Amino acid sequence: MLLNEQYVDSLYGADADLERAKAGIAANGMPDISVADGYGRLLTMLVSLSKAENIVEIGALGGYSGICLARGLREGGKLVSLELLQNYADLAKVHMEAAGLGDKVDYMVGDARQSLEELKSAGRKFDFFFIDADKEGYPAYLDYAIALANPGAIIVGDNILLRGRTTDPAKEGPSVRAVRSFNETIASDERLQSTVLPGYDGLAIAIVK
């Protein structure tokens, strides 16, 4: 982490619910890939500012980002969290419940594309999307998010710099190519108004027109 990011994070006290989630993720041998603390705070703010009532999260991991998202929901709002692995979804649920947010989340376990197709077939619409899963799937997840979006919905994608691989011309792996495609679409698609934040590992934010 860069010095500037360390300084910013040092301004904020420990958050018991998020620290519990981090500890649980580590204790269960899961990768340390939750959204950065600063961007977690930003997620809560964006959800609150947008007055979102229905959110899709692609990639639950251990519930850290789910807590951040659910905290910003309006009364009666719901988070639909898509997670490939049952044990990850189970741990996320434990942490959500410990944070007093268990009633705000429903989990769909399995391949996210299939879950998104089910939501599309059911005619569901959403106000906010957070994409933080397998990087090769980012272009498809963005397409689904646009299709499932209410007008004015917000789409956020995490880790769009891939720890420097995205900007390294020598890197041409499938994940790098997919994320570059995602970033280029975010920046150029006429259906979106967007920006990309380069801090931490990069965050893309778009509004569906």
Side-chain angles (χ1 to χ4, degrees):
M1 185 183 298
L2 297 177
L3 184 60
N4 287 349
E5 295 159 359
Q6 291 176 332
Y7 167 72
V8 170
D9 287 342
S10 75
L11 297 174
Y12 295 85
D15 184 307
D17 295 329
L18 296 177
E19 291 300 318
R20 184 188 305 112
K22 283 184 179 180
I25 288 167
N28 282 270
M30 294 180 180
D32 182 18
I33 55 172
S34 296
V35 65
D37 293 349
Y39 285 160
R41 292 187 291 270
L42 179 59
L43 287 178
T44 302
M45 292 176 64
L46 288 173
V47 172
S48 180
L49 287 167
S50 68
K51 297 180 169 57
E53 295 183 357
N54 296 285
I55 300 175
V56 169
E57 171 188 44
I58 305 174
L61 191 61
Y64 185 103
S65 58
I67 292 170
C68 296
L69 293 163
R71 282 176 170 175
L73 274 169
R74 300 181 69 178
E75 187 68 30
K78 206 75 174 182
L79 166 66
V80 177
S81 184
L82 313 185
E83 174 53 54
L84 178 64
L85 302 174
Q86 184 68 58
N87 60 320
Y88 282 25
D90 291 343
L91 184 63
K93 184 176 182 181
V94 168
H95 292 145
M96 291 287 287
E97 290 176 346
L101 300 166
D103 62 332
K104 293 183 177 291
V105 61
D106 292 325
Y107 291 95
M108 297 180 70
V109 178
D111 184 271
R113 293 172 185 80
Q114 182 177 339
S115 296
L116 289 163
E117 188 61 39
E118 290 175 14
L119 293 172
K120 184 178 177 182
S121 297
R124 299 283 300 275
K125 291 291 182 179
F126 296 87
D127 308 308
F128 200 103
F129 301 83
F130 180 53
I131 303 171
D132 191 12
D134 63 292
K135 305 315 172 194
E136 291 182 44
Y138 268 41
Y141 299 150
L142 179 57
D143 287 342
Y144 272 112
I146 294 171
L148 291 164
N150 284 317
I154 294 175
I155 302 171
V156 179
D158 194 24
N159 304 121
I160 52 85
L161 296 180
L162 295 176
R163 299 184 179 180
R165 286 184 291 150
T166 302
T167 57
D168 184 348
K171 303 296 184 182
E172 287 292 340
S175 293
V176 173
R177 292 198 302 271
V179 169
R180 285 175 182 154
S181 174
F182 172 89
N183 293 342
E184 290 159 8
T185 302
I186 283 281
S188 63
D189 195 303
E190 294 183 353
R191 296 169 294 179
L192 305 174
Q193 178 184 356
S194 71
T195 191
V196 173
L197 306 180
Y200 299 99
D201 195 28
L203 196 76
I205 306 172
I207 298 173
V208 180
K209 295 178 181 177

